Amino acid sequence: MKLAHKDLLRLATVGSVDDGKSTLIGRLLVDTRQLFDDQLDAVVAASEKRGVGDLDLSFVTDGLRAEREQGITIDVAYRYAATPSRKFIIADCPGHIQYTRNMATGASTADLALVVLNVAHGLKEQSRRHLCIAALLGVRSIVVAVNKMDEVNWSESAYQGVVDELDTLANELGFESVISIPVSALLGDNVVDPSPNTPWFDGPTVLHALENSQAGSWSGAEGARLPIQWVLRQPGGGRTYAGMLNGANLQVGDVVTLLPANIATTITAINSGSGPRELATTGLSIDVALDAETDAGRGDLIATAPLPTVTKEFAATICWFGEAPLRVGQRLRLKHTSKVTPVRISALTGVVDIATLAIDANTMLQTNEIGLATLQSADALVVDDYRDNRVSGSFVLIDEVTNATVAAGMVGRAAFL
Amino acid sequence: MTTETLPTAHTTDHLDLLESHAIYILREVVAECERPVLLFSGGKDSAVLLHLAAKAFAPQQLPFPVMHIDTGQNFPEVLEYRDRAVQATGARLVVAKVQDSIDQGKVIDPGPMGSRNRLQTVTLLDAITEHGFDAAFGGARRDEDKARAKERILSFRDAFGQWDPRQQRPELWQLYQGKVNPGEHLRAFPLSDWTELDIWQYIEREQMDLPTIYFAHERDVILRDNMWLAVGPFVEVRPGETIKRMLVRFRTVGDANCTGAVISEAKTLNQIIDEVSVANVSERGATRADDRFSETAMEDRKREGYF
Ligand SMILES: Nc1nc2c(ncn2[C@@H]2O[C@H](COP(=O)(O)OP(=O)(O)OP(=O)(O)O)[C@@H](O)[C@H]2O)c(=O)[nH]1
Ligand SMILES: [Mg+2]
């Protein structure tokens, strides 16, 4: 049987601890029959063993021993699902503030955030932080499950209160698509099947909203960007330059610029996993031949217009995950595309107040704070603003001693900051 | 640029994107690490991994060796396949034997019929230290198990080879960073986002060679713990068990004494794809005794440094 090509939606759950993210994903997967019999049996057995009822749906994704003991999510679980209309990669993220770095991990590759809010609590600070991080990371569509409706007797006004608060924030953060739904993840209302308990609601179920979401990978990127990962020597002495393409398409004959050297040249051949091709699209790993003799290598970037910026100093938005605060003058290692270089924080211009989205002046960033900084790099970097290109606009900061990843960075500044 | 000349022959489907992501990871780890190695069991996932590695660095040779952790309890068809597949890529094969760890007194011999599955960890970690590998590619997929579902694409291991699921490095976007200090290493999983079905569709698309035991064949089996085990040198028939001749195939490849067969008539890749598309038992649930010990069997083994 040849399966028809289905498009893929990558989504991440977002929201404060205990609001029901994992339960909702468990419910979605169980009610759409994505679990194998033995997996469902194992969840039932684990629920019984831990005395949490017949079927604790959060155990579908909370698979670690510590998670099941403590009843919280610690790290992202990835699940793969397919309904008749769509394929999904689901990242079920932790809500606890201590694991914000893991939530950012899950959300950084998501096109849509499935926001879960407890109807009785509304937007907690941690919900606001998660929404803010999701927006910074470039998520433009959200589906908001206003959860635990069973605990407020399906009250429309309780639902509406949370939706009003959420809409205000979503508006400020600039999400392009916001769909709110009253649900009970525990009981399944409005998750896969419409609920008889919310006759006042005429919107979609969570599944319907996900299946029909227009959230897609970024279309804004205009120029082609091919960061060189590796140089392949060809028989007969030529070289090709390998990397994963993003942004615009690349075609044999295209005039390109090799950066940071700023050499104009032409693509003379493109190879991919399935052989030579005339045209490559975003997300493909390719290697290309150029018509000029260059000393191009790993860390260089092949681009078409509009060209990115070559710089050794740039402004960025930083999500700081280090245990000790980030300070002005601090030295770190930066990884941007295939380039690694030492950097120094030359200025910290402010820290985001999660409650108000105002920028407070500050000279350091505490763990899990978001701030604006200026970075100086030892080597020239070839960057785009993050909002123009998610690949050439993003970087991570690395502790030079432990090699731990301590920050997510985005070149430039979001409109809402 | 004019658009009317754009060729339409090459459309990009989900297998192209999975292939591209895996190739990207392979290249990134090779560029960032000093001494990578590819762990090769002879199963379908490591077969796909080796196939992708060859593509990632073509037309050059693989820039790393291939290592098999040999429990000594293999299906002979898998060993034949291992040698055939590795030879086809021209890679250097390193074999690390669990028997050597037993002979050196590092692990206790479970006897000729006992499972050596868990002992592999010691052999694997010793081999990583001995050869100074700082990165090991594995074919694990996140859809296989709930602990694997939690693991990063580049998974950090401390100087004792341990995985600490509470202290995983953040892994943002596709910025895989693979620096480790001496003695530590990484496991890299280029097939993280592939499902069992993706693997089979890809094998079919690429018309890859595989061990013959993946295809339906007649075999003497016994039913033990609800699993069909192949009778042979590592599985003896116990009192009360009866040998049956059945048409079976294997859905995963592990040790002969803890990998169950499934009753199947699927003799071709397309028949296997049909079967996998409608399966209602998971791959490991159907076939792996090693995962049935406890609720968190895989997590516990992974923490110790297992694949
Ligand atoms: N009454 C009621 N309880 C719910 C509902 N959804 C989840 N819960 C309960 O809320 C608790 C927390 O649920 P989880 O799904 O673990 O929450 P989470 O958002 O994944 O939490 P973290 O991942 O730790 O941030 C559990 O006890 C659930 O049973 C619901 O719709 N109604
Ligand atoms: Mg959770």
Side-chain angles (χ1 to χ4, degrees):
Chain A
M1 182 171 66
K2 283 256 188 247
L3 299 181
H5 174 66
K6 293 182 204 166
D7 79 326
L8 173 70
L9 180 70
R10 301 190 69 120
L11 67 112
T13 59
V14 154
S16 185
V17 64
D18 271 352
D19 282 1
K21 297 178 291 301
S22 300
T23 306
L24 179 60
I25 295 305
R27 171 60 67 193
L28 260 174
L29 293 172
V30 168
D31 286 5
T32 53
R33 298 173 195 282
Q34 302 291 324
L35 291 198
F36 291 115
D37 294 350
D38 56 303
Q39 293 174 326
L40 191 57
D41 290 348
V43 170
V44 169
S47 306
E48 184 185 21
K49 182 177 147 200
R50 296 187 189 275
V52 287
D54 297 342
L55 178 66
D56 187 329
L57 290 164
S58 68
F59 284 7
V60 172
T61 54
D62 287 346
L64 298 173
R65 183 188 294 274
E67 292 179 325
R68 291 181 172 186
E69 277 165 13
Q70 296 167 30
I72 64 163
T73 304
I74 291 171
D75 213 328
V76 192
Y78 293 90
R79 297 286 316 210
Y80 305 83
T83 66
S85 64
R86 208 165 206 186
K87 286 169 75 114
F88 299 93
I89 298 183
I90 302 167
D92 181 30
C93 298
H96 196 288
I97 184 161
Q98 191 185 337
Y99 305 119
T100 303
R101 59 182 191 274
N102 298 337
M103 172 271 171
T105 293
S108 68
T109 51
D111 299 317
L112 178 141
L114 178 54
V115 183
V116 181
L117 302 172
N118 182 339
V119 64
H121 299 164
L123 279 173
K124 288 181 271 193
E125 172 169 322
Q126 185 63 355
S127 323
R128 300 182 70 93
R129 175 176 285 106
H130 272 196
L131 278 158
C132 184
I133 293 173
L136 280 175
L137 288 170
V139 170
R140 292 166 182 176
S141 299
I142 57 176
V143 171
V144 185
V146 179
N147 191 28
K148 310 202 184 186
M149 288 298 298
D150 53 298
E151 290 193 331
V152 295
N153 204 18
W154 311 100
S155 154
E156 183 181 5
S157 66
Y159 169 73
Q160 202 52 52
V162 174
V163 169
D164 291 345
E165 196 186 3
L166 181 272
D167 280 347
T168 309
L169 179 63
N171 206 14
E172 276 179 84
L173 293 175
F175 290 112
E176 286 166 8
S177 161
V178 179
I179 298 172
S180 297
I181 305 167
V183 310
S184 169
L186 190 67
L187 305 174
D189 296 75
N190 291 329
V191 177
V192 171
D193 299 313
S195 170
N197 295 313
T198 52
W200 42 266
F201 177 71
D202 62 359
T205 61
V206 173
L207 178 66
H208 189 271
L210 296 179
E211 284 188 319
N212 293 288
S213 166
Q214 299 295 314
S217 13
W218 287 26
S219 50
E222 284 181 22
R225 303 288 182 261
L226 182 67
I228 299 176
Q229 284 184 282
W230 193 252
V231 180
L232 295 166
R233 301 218 190 120
Q234 300 296 328
R239 284 174 165 67
T240 60
Y241 304 95
M244 187 188 271
L245 179 66
N246 71 87
N249 297 343
L250 208 55
Q251 198 174 351
V252 173
D254 278 354
V255 174
V256 296
T257 306
L258 176 68
L259 296 165
N262 201 21
I263 297 168
T265 174
T266 306
I267 302 279
T268 56
I270 302 178
N271 304 302
S272 70
S274 41
R277 47 169 76 213
E278 282 291 304
L279 170 81
T281 50
T282 193
L284 269 194
S285 279
I286 55 174
D287 59 283
V288 299
L290 303 176
D291 80 342
E293 274 293 326
T294 70
D295 65 346
R298 179 169 168 84
D300 294 337
L301 189 139
I302 294 166
T304 62
L307 293 181
T309 310
V310 177
T311 179
K312 286 187 171 184
E313 181 161 41
F314 58 96
T317 310
I318 306 267
C319 299
W320 179 248
F321 306 128
E323 275 169 30
L326 175 69
R327 293 170 197 278
V328 177
Q330 194 163 331
R331 211 188 115 117
L332 294 142
R333 202 157 59 225
L334 171 145
K335 182 167 185 186
H336 167 260
T337 65
S338 52
K339 178 100 188 163
V340 179
T341 174
V343 290
R344 201 182 297 284
I345 307 293
S346 52
L348 270 174
T349 40
V351 52
V352 179
D353 180 336
I354 293 295
T356 62
L357 295 181
I359 308 288
D360 299 339
N362 208 329
T363 52
M364 59 169 146
L365 279 186
Q366 307 283 354
T367 315
N368 298 323
E369 282 186 338
I370 299 161
L372 302 173
T374 307
L375 288 86
Q376 252 169 11
S377 61
D379 300 339
L381 295 170
V382 186
V383 301
D384 282 293
D385 187 282
Y386 184 74
R387 276 130 300 266
D388 294 332
N389 190 302
R390 213 171 178 174
V391 173
S392 46
S394 61
F395 59 90
V396 291
L397 297 176
I398 300 158
D399 184 298
E400 290 190 299
V401 177
T402 63
N403 296 311
T405 304
V406 284
M410 287 145 279
V411 177
R413 180 174 178 163
F416 62 85
L417 288 182
Chain B
M1 204 198 306
T2 54
T3 50
E4 62 263 15
T5 57
L6 291 184
T8 51
H10 295 295
T11 53
T12 309
D13 68 10
H14 85 284
L15 292 178
D16 293 324
L17 292 176
L18 287 170
E19 175 187 71
S20 287
H21 187 212
I23 287 175
Y24 172 80
I25 295 162
L26 282 152
R27 288 173 175 161
E28 206 56 19
V29 170
V30 166
E32 288 225 333
C33 296
E34 297 293 325
R35 302 195 71 167
V37 64
L38 187 148
L39 302 176
F40 189 80
S41 68
K44 64 185 186 308
D45 302 312
S46 56
V48 168
L49 190 57
L50 185 61
H51 183 83
L52 289 164
K55 282 193 180 196
F57 300 99
Q60 293 177 240
Q61 292 270 301
L62 280 196
F64 43 76
V66 170
M67 183 159 77
H68 179 222
I69 305 300
D70 179 1
T71 60
Q73 296 177 334
N74 308 288
F75 289 98
E77 297 90 333
V78 176
L79 287 184
E80 281 161 31
Y81 171 74
R82 175 195 75 184
D83 294 339
R84 196 162 79 222
V86 173
Q87 205 182 14
T89 63
R92 179 162 66 88
L93 177 67
V94 177
V95 179
K97 293 185 155 52
V98 172
Q99 187 62 47
D100 291 344
S101 304
I102 292 173
D103 294 345
Q104 290 158 13
K106 289 183 168 163
V107 293
I108 293 168
D109 189 350
M113 305 292 155
S115 170
R116 294 179 165 190
N117 186 282
R118 202 159 183 158
L119 311 186
Q120 291 180 92
T121 301
V122 172
T123 312
L124 169 64
L125 293 179
D126 279 354
I128 286 174
T129 309
E130 182 192 325
H131 295 273
F133 295 131
D134 58 352
F137 292 108
R141 313 188 319 264
R142 285 169 172 159
D143 78 332
E144 276 180 88
D145 173 88
K146 57 192 181 303
R148 293 209 152 139
K150 293 268 162 184
E151 195 163 12
R152 298 282 188 261
I153 288 175
L154 296 200
S155 185
F156 176 77
R157 300 302 155 104
D158 67 15
F160 298 93
Q162 298 188 97
W163 178 56
D164 183 354
R166 299 192 85 114
Q167 294 297 334
Q168 298 199 87
R169 286 180 179 173
E171 186 166 81
L172 289 124
W173 301 286
Q174 293 180 347
L175 283 169
Y176 304 116
Q177 74 99 357
K179 277 281 173 290
V180 295
N181 285 320
E184 302 165 345
H185 73 277
L186 286 179
R187 301 288 171 84
F189 301 114
L191 307 180
S192 289
D193 282 342
W194 297 52
T195 63
E196 185 188 14
L197 187 59
D198 294 328
I199 292 284
W200 283 113
Q201 289 181 315
Y202 186 74
I203 289 169
E204 195 279 330
R205 181 180 100 171
E206 303 285 306
Q207 289 296 302
M208 284 172 51
D209 182 23
L210 278 188
T212 51
I213 65 170
Y214 277 115
F215 302 92
H217 57 285
E218 289 220 335
R219 192 179 275 269
D220 286 340
V221 291
I222 51 155
L223 189 62
R224 182 183 296 169
D225 300 334
N226 241 337
M227 225 165 42
W228 294 102
L229 291 181
V231 178
F234 312 111
V235 178
E236 70 184 343
V237 183
R238 294 176 187 163
E241 291 176 339
T242 41
I243 299 180
K244 286 195 174 165
R245 186 105 186 133
M246 305 275 268
L247 194 56
V248 298
R249 65 177 196 90
F250 290 85
R251 233 172 121 182
T252 66
V253 162
D255 287 352
N257 56 8
C258 66
T259 306
V262 294
I263 308 295
S264 167
E265 294 178 2
K267 291 188 170 167
T268 66
L269 288 170
N270 278 318
Q271 287 166 349
I272 291 175
I273 290 172
D274 286 347
E275 209 176 87
V276 170
S277 310
V278 298
N280 48 22
V281 177
S282 79
E283 170 182 324
R284 296 193 79 90
T287 64
R288 294 302 273 266
D290 42 330
D291 289 344
R292 295 185 172 183
F293 299 134
S294 79
E295 181 191 345
T296 52
M298 177 64 86
E299 177 183 345
D300 297 342
R301 277 178 295 156
K302 285 188 81 64
R303 280 173 175 275
E304 293 169 3
Y306 188 76
F307 298 101

